[in-house]
Amino acid sequence: MSAEEPLRADPDALLAAAERETRGKLRIFLGAAPGVGKTFAMLSAARAFKAAGGDVVIGIVETHGRAETLALVDGIEELPRKGIPYKGRLVPEFDLEAALTRRPALLLVDEYAHSNVEGSRHPKRWQDVQELLAAGIDVWTTLNIQHVESLNDVIQRISGVRVREIVPDSALKKADEIILVDLPSDELIKRLADGKVYVEDTASRAVQSFFKPSNLTALRELALRQVAARVDSDLVARMRGSAIQGPWAAGERLLVCVGPDMAAEPVVREAKRLADLMDAAWFAVTVERPGHVMAARDRLRLEAGLRLAESLGAEVRPLVAADVPTELLRFARFENVTQIIIGKARHRSLQGLLRGSLADALVKGANGVAIHVVTAEAPDRTRRGWLRLPPFGPVAGYVAAPLAVGVATVIGLFLTRFVALPNVSMLYLLAVLLPALLYGVWPAIIASALSFLSYNFFFIDPVETFTVARPHELLALLVFLIVAVLISALAGRGREQTRIAAQRMRATRRLYEFTRKLSAQADGASVAEAAAVELHAAFGRASVILMAEHGELTIAAAWPPEDRLDTGSMTAAAWAYEHREPAGAGTGTLPSVPWFFRPLTGTEAGAPIGVVGIERSAGEPVLDTESERILGTLAEQTAAALVRTRLSAEVTHARTAAETERVRNILLASISHDFRTPLASILGAATSLIDYGADIPEPARRDLLLQMRDEAENLDQMVRNLLSMTRLEAGGLDLRKDWIDVVELMNRAVSAARKRGAPQRFVVTAAPDLPLLRADPNLMDQALGNVVGNAVRYAGTNARVGLSATVIDGQLVIAVTDDGPGIPAETLPHVFEKFVRAARTAGDGGDGSGLGLAITKGVVEAHGGTVSARSPAPGQRNGTRIALRLPLEPTPDTEAAT
């Protein structure tokens, strides 16, 4: 950036400021210890706010019986506490629902780190505060420094007291303002002695344990550092948001390596403290070796450390690599990390002794990156040997190991009687390898030891004793044992890797089949049912899919089938849907509910479309990281499929609406044109007769009356077409069959066309001995008349229109052929559809409603026949031929002759 170029505001700072404007403001009164006056300071400020005309309400304030604090409460509106049943009594707690309903401008909520009684909406009060802030309510609260999550182990070392009620640093960062309430250590101890903090007995015990001058001084320093770090970060944020140039350089970036041991949490907390001191961004990573099988206890430790890092504000990144130091350094260079924090290895494996420690490898390969080794003592008293072995396997493996060694011994003894074997130990290697492949490492280790003893006892002189006569045979035995152990370990690891690969393959296949199954579902109900069945199969627990309908969640599918959930479960599901966060068992929101709910988010805006739930019965473990990842993937696929079906339904609805609109417009155009023309003729003729009746000659008067009759017949024909189309679509066409002379039928159609003024030349031909047709006369007159009228309309005034009837393959074929311009190729496949009209060339004036041929098709099919159109007509270069094929029935004469 040049000197002349104006400094621009930091977009991240502007976005953060905009986000703060959309929620309530949080002010925390922070103290080093109880009794410094946090609640007193909060109430004093609240009274000043109320005196200035502000709307302030006390949600919950703990006065601890202090007179000066009680005096400040007087005169401020206070919400009644909510009694929650717990162990046979009602425990008064903060009423979150009442606060959300009251919605004051400022709400006082004391003790930010308080743990709510079981049965509350949230297990922690700071979570209640987060919901109030999201609702736009400003909140003032109090907090002691010993309740901050990242300082938990430091407080324990200072005071010797383990604080159980903690607030994560991420919740502390939500504060818009932190006010330090400080009091010198001597004065605080004096207040304690005067009974202004605790009662007399409690005060004496507190002085002896917690309220020591050295402890209080250290706590004050921690509180001052916390506030100073916050003030510094606020200053930087304001300067960046206001485009004020400052003397800061690029910040530090920290990386903490989290491992599967008890030192994981202390290392994470140390990294958090370093990050706060340096005001630096930090990452928490774990590197997993491909194919490495991690014990269940180690997996839980690792997940606990990563969850702690995430709650403290770290960006968690899981990595996979065979070379841990190289991958850490690669990641550090890629993310511009300046400092790496690792824990000291308390026990060294055989592989670690050969390769060196992780700290040594990082120091050797680091270039410009500082390496911190945390030497905090972890409370892990488990001792491990050089080889890190998995837990004991199934009982069958420990039965198979001695059996395999016994079989190898019997075979060896049998073979040595007939063949001189230079080395029978190969048989024992097989006896070790088979248990390793089938049952794992521990059975193979036992097989190795038994093989060592059996080989010594039965095959090394002196036999039948465990004595070794020659030293080189002892060396051979030791080498055999080492080789057997290594082979068993490698075979066991290969077996575990095969098992893991099979599990991953099954998971991948299940995901593929699940995705394919969802893609085949046509509606949301089918998708929800398929998803519920798959979730039940994947986790072995009851599953449920809830969809939002008119703003409320309803059960769309469940497996096993269930049509209702209890009130608490529905509340948790609604919370997950509204706040787009998991809720229920294993979460911080309504953890006592026996269901874990996760929102189904499938739109670009991130708005959820429903909720997926997995039941967690009493005694069942919480979903681990891998299961949560699988659940997340299945939920995403389900959401995508539901969105697809919803969009498909919307597209279908839009197409239907567009088609309805098109039909409506065509019908209106038809009515406005085809109905208006005959009505205008009738109205004109009637007006002439009324106004000039006596003066009009008789022939002219007759012509007017005939014109009125013809136009009325045309209008009647159009109305009949519309009514017939309605009857056809409703399936209410009533056939009144009678015997019809087909020649008369064709002549009537020609006569009706000529009456309407058709100028074309008509030719009627029929095959000799043409049988009678059994059909509805009125409907057949309408069907054939529509075909003739179509030819008259589009063939042209000089066209020739031929009507023919013949019998082909036992069916009567009535064909209407013209030599006009024909039907366009793009229109021909649709001529028998409703409201389809071709461009008129020279017809009789008017394009028609496009219902004639559709009615003809319906009438013919109602009689069991078919209708077809060809253009150009057979044997002609142009023109159109429309053929009606109708089934023939035996005539009365034929039946009588038979």
Side-chain angles (χ1 to χ4, degrees):
M1 182 182 295
S2 63
E4 291 79 10
E5 186 177 355
L7 187 66
R8 297 180 180 179
D10 185 7
D12 293 335
L14 294 177
L15 288 175
E19 182 182 359
R20 286 195 298 269
E21 291 299 326
T22 61
R23 60 175 178 83
K25 303 299 185 295
L26 174 62
R27 176 186 291 184
I28 297 178
F29 292 82
L30 181 66
V36 297
K38 302 180 299 300
T39 306
F40 186 89
M42 180 179 68
L43 290 172
S44 299
R47 293 187 71 86
F49 180 83
K50 180 177 177 63
D55 180 21
V56 57
V57 172
I58 295 176
I60 186 168
V61 166
E62 302 293 347
T63 62
H64 299 289
R66 301 164 190 163
E68 61 273 18
T69 306
L70 286 170
L72 292 176
V73 172
D74 188 28
I76 302 179
E77 179 184 351
E78 186 172 2
L79 295 177
R81 301 191 183 187
K82 180 180 180 180
I84 298 179
Y86 180 69
K87 294 184 178 180
R89 62 189 184 92
L90 287 179
V91 179
E93 282 284 8
F94 169 56
D95 194 343
L96 178 59
E97 291 293 341
L100 292 171
T101 303
R102 173 62 174 80
R103 295 186 64 85
L106 174 61
L107 186 69
L108 307 183
V109 181
D110 206 2
E111 297 185 358
Y112 195 41
H114 172 76
S115 296
N116 295 328
V117 70
E118 184 177 346
S120 303
R121 175 182 294 186
H122 304 294
K124 298 291 184 179
R125 184 168 292 170
W126 62 265
Q127 294 174 318
D128 296 338
V129 172
Q130 298 303 315
E131 186 171 353
L132 293 168
L133 296 175
I137 302 174
D138 292 349
V139 178
W140 289 359
T141 186
T142 61
L143 179 68
N144 289 326
I145 193 64
Q146 67 262 30
H147 297 295
V148 178
E149 168 70 24
S150 60
L151 302 176
N152 190 257
D153 55 345
V154 177
I155 299 298
Q156 183 180 11
R157 287 199 298 267
I158 293 174
S159 63
V161 177
R162 185 72 171 182
V163 179
R164 302 297 179 185
E165 293 184 334
I166 56 177
V167 174
D169 291 56
S170 57
L172 194 63
K173 288 183 178 180
K174 295 288 186 180
D176 297 274
E177 186 179 3
I178 297 180
I179 297 178
L180 179 63
V181 181
D182 191 30
L183 197 65
S185 304
D186 296 339
E187 187 173 344
L188 178 58
I189 294 175
K190 185 177 182 302
R191 283 174 52 84
L192 185 67
D194 294 340
K196 296 182 179 180
V197 179
Y198 297 123
V199 296
E200 184 176 353
D201 292 341
T202 305
S204 60
R205 290 196 301 268
V207 171
Q208 296 173 2
S209 59
F210 191 84
F211 285 84
K212 297 179 181 179
S214 58
N215 293 354
L216 295 177
T217 302
L219 293 175
R220 290 183 67 199
E221 181 179 357
L222 288 176
L224 290 169
R225 286 182 178 274
Q226 187 74 30
V227 175
R230 179 52 186 264
V231 171
D232 181 68
S233 61
D234 287 346
L235 176 61
V236 172
R238 291 180 183 276
M239 293 176 68
R240 290 177 177 175
S242 303
I244 301 174
Q245 188 171 7
W248 58 80
E252 298 281 346
R253 294 170 71 83
L254 276 65
L255 184 149
V256 57
C257 185
V258 183
D261 51 42
M262 293 298 291
E265 295 189 9
V267 171
V268 168
R269 290 193 175 95
E270 184 65 27
K272 168 61 177 174
R273 286 192 290 272
L274 288 175
D276 288 343
L277 290 175
M278 300 176 184
D279 192 21
W282 62 299
F283 301 91
V285 303
T286 179
V287 184
E288 184 176 351
R289 291 185 175 89
H292 174 65
V293 182
M294 190 177 298
R297 180 178 60 179
D298 293 342
R299 171 66 66 181
L300 293 176
R301 290 173 178 171
L302 178 61
E303 292 175 356
L306 293 178
R307 281 196 295 267
L308 174 62
E310 188 173 9
S311 68
L312 295 179
E315 185 175 347
V316 177
R317 297 281 188 89
L319 306 176
V320 178
D323 192 341
V324 176
T326 302
E327 179 64 16
L328 287 176
L329 293 174
R330 183 203 64 80
F331 181 84
R333 287 191 294 268
F334 182 78
E335 295 290 347
N336 196 26
V337 170
T338 58
Q339 303 194 43
I340 299 177
I341 300 97
I342 61 174
K344 180 183 178 182
R346 302 186 64 247
H347 302 292
R348 301 283 292 276
S349 63
L350 178 61
Q351 186 178 14
L353 290 175
L354 296 176
R355 293 188 177 183
S357 67
L358 176 61
D360 296 336
L362 290 176
V363 171
K364 184 178 179 180
N367 185 11
V369 179
I371 308 297
H372 297 265
V373 180
V374 179
T375 59
E377 182 69 16
D380 186 6
R381 304 303 180 206
T382 303
R383 294 290 186 248
R384 297 188 179 185
W386 284 1
L387 289 174
R388 300 195 176 191
L389 302 175
F392 290 98
V395 177
Y398 304 104
V399 177
L403 287 178
V405 174
V407 171
T409 302
V410 172
I411 294 175
L413 291 173
F414 177 77
L415 291 177
T416 53
R417 292 183 179 182
F418 304 99
V419 181
L421 295 179
N423 195 349
V424 187
S425 61
M426 296 299 103
L427 294 174
Y428 288 107
L429 289 180
L430 290 176
V432 172
L433 186 59
L434 290 177
L437 291 175
L438 297 177
Y439 299 103
V441 177
W442 273 111
I445 296 297
I446 295 176
S448 299
L450 293 177
S451 298
F452 174 82
L453 297 175
S454 299
Y455 185 52
N456 183 11
F457 188 82
F458 290 104
F459 298 101
I460 295 180
D461 293 329
V463 295
E464 297 182 357
T465 65
F466 292 103
T467 304
V468 178
R470 287 170 287 187
H472 71 274
E473 293 178 347
L474 179 60
L475 178 61
L477 286 174
L478 293 176
V479 171
F480 165 72
L481 179 60
I482 294 174
V483 171
V485 170
L486 291 177
I487 289 177
S488 64
L490 292 176
R493 176 176 294 182
R495 176 179 173 274
E496 293 297 332
Q497 290 178 357
T498 303
R499 181 182 60 82
I500 293 173
Q503 288 180 348
R504 291 177 178 174
M505 183 184 68
R506 286 193 296 268
T508 303
R509 181 180 298 172
R510 171 168 287 175
L511 180 60
Y512 167 73
E513 293 177 352
F514 177 60
T515 305
R516 186 177 63 179
K517 185 186 298 183
L518 290 185
S519 64
Q521 307 303 322
D523 56 86
S526 300
V527 169
E529 183 176 357
V533 172
E534 180 62 25
L535 289 170
H536 175 73
F539 299 101
R541 305 181 184 185
S543 60
V544 63
I545 306 292
L546 297 97
M547 299 294 295
E549 294 182 2
H550 308 294
E552 294 185 359
L553 287 176
T554 57
I555 297 178
W559 195 262
E562 181 63 54
D563 59 355
R564 62 176 298 174
L565 294 174
D566 58 77
T567 304
S569 299
M570 288 300 297
T571 302
W575 169 270
Y577 174 77
E578 294 173 0
H579 295 80
R580 308 177 189 180
E581 296 178 359
T587 68
T589 303
L590 298 174
S592 60
V593 171
W595 286 82
F596 171 77
F597 293 101
R598 181 189 181 98
L600 292 172
T601 304
T603 60
E604 294 182 358
I609 60 175
V611 174
V612 57
I614 298 294
E615 187 179 23
R616 180 195 171 195
S617 303
E620 289 184 341
V622 184
L623 295 178
D624 56 15
T625 303
E626 185 66 22
S627 298
E628 288 184 359
R629 189 178 297 114
I630 294 175
L631 176 60
T633 302
L634 296 179
E636 290 174 0
Q637 294 294 329
T638 303
L642 289 172
V643 170
R644 173 183 58 79
T645 57
R646 179 175 294 183
L647 292 177
S648 177
E650 292 177 356
V651 169
T652 302
H653 178 73
R655 288 178 178 175
T656 303
E659 180 66 17
T660 303
E661 184 68 16
R662 188 183 71 85
V663 171
R664 186 181 68 85
N665 292 337
I666 292 175
L667 186 60
L668 290 176
S670 172
I671 293 175
S672 63
H673 181 275
D674 295 342
F675 279 29
R676 187 175 58 187
T677 300
L679 286 175
S681 299
I682 294 173
L683 182 61
T687 302
S688 298
L689 290 174
I690 293 174
D691 294 341
Y692 308 104
D695 301 331
I696 298 176
E698 183 61 27
R701 184 184 298 118
R702 181 175 178 80
D703 288 341
L704 290 174
L705 292 174
L706 290 175
Q707 181 182 355
M708 293 174 62
R709 187 195 65 182
D710 292 342
E711 295 297 341
E713 289 179 351
N714 290 339
L715 189 61
D716 177 67
Q717 180 66 25
M718 283 184 273
V719 172
R720 289 171 59 196
N721 282 343
L722 291 174
L723 293 177
S724 298
M725 193 76 260
T726 303
R727 291 165 59 194
L728 283 172
E729 291 185 344
L733 198 62
D734 184 18
L735 298 181
R736 299 180 180 180
K737 292 185 177 182
D738 199 357
W739 295 104
I740 302 174
D741 188 337
V742 179
V743 176
E744 292 182 2
L745 175 67
M746 293 189 292
N747 287 329
R748 285 198 302 270
V750 171
S751 176
R754 285 174 174 167
K755 284 183 180 181
R756 297 189 183 96
Q760 289 82 4
R761 182 165 56 92
F762 293 93
V763 177
V764 178
T765 59
D769 299 328
L770 194 68
L772 297 177
L773 174 68
R774 184 168 177 78
D776 189 313
N778 293 329
L779 292 178
M780 289 306 302
D781 283 340
Q782 184 178 6
L784 186 58
N786 286 340
V787 176
V788 174
N790 186 78
V792 170
R793 187 181 304 275
Y794 295 104
T797 56
N798 299 322
R800 175 184 178 275
V801 179
L803 284 76
S804 63
T806 184
V807 177
I808 302 176
D809 296 333
Q811 288 186 320
L812 178 65
V813 180
I814 304 175
V816 179
T817 307
D818 65 70
D819 55 1
I823 301 175
E826 63 274 9
T827 307
L828 185 62
H830 309 287
V831 291
F832 295 107
E833 298 177 4
K834 294 184 297 182
F835 303 111
V836 174
R837 299 178 295 179
R840 185 178 59 86
T841 57
D844 61 346
D847 292 334
S849 62
L851 291 176
L853 295 183
I855 294 173
T856 298
K857 179 175 181 292
V859 169
V860 172
E861 289 180 348
H863 285 83
T866 59
V867 60
S868 61
R870 297 181 63 181
S871 181
Q876 299 180 185
R877 300 181 59 183
N878 52 14
T880 302
R881 181 177 185 268
I882 296 179
L884 283 62
R885 295 177 176 268
L886 295 162
L888 289 174
E889 298 181 12
T891 61
D893 296 339
T894 303
E895 292 178 352
T898 302

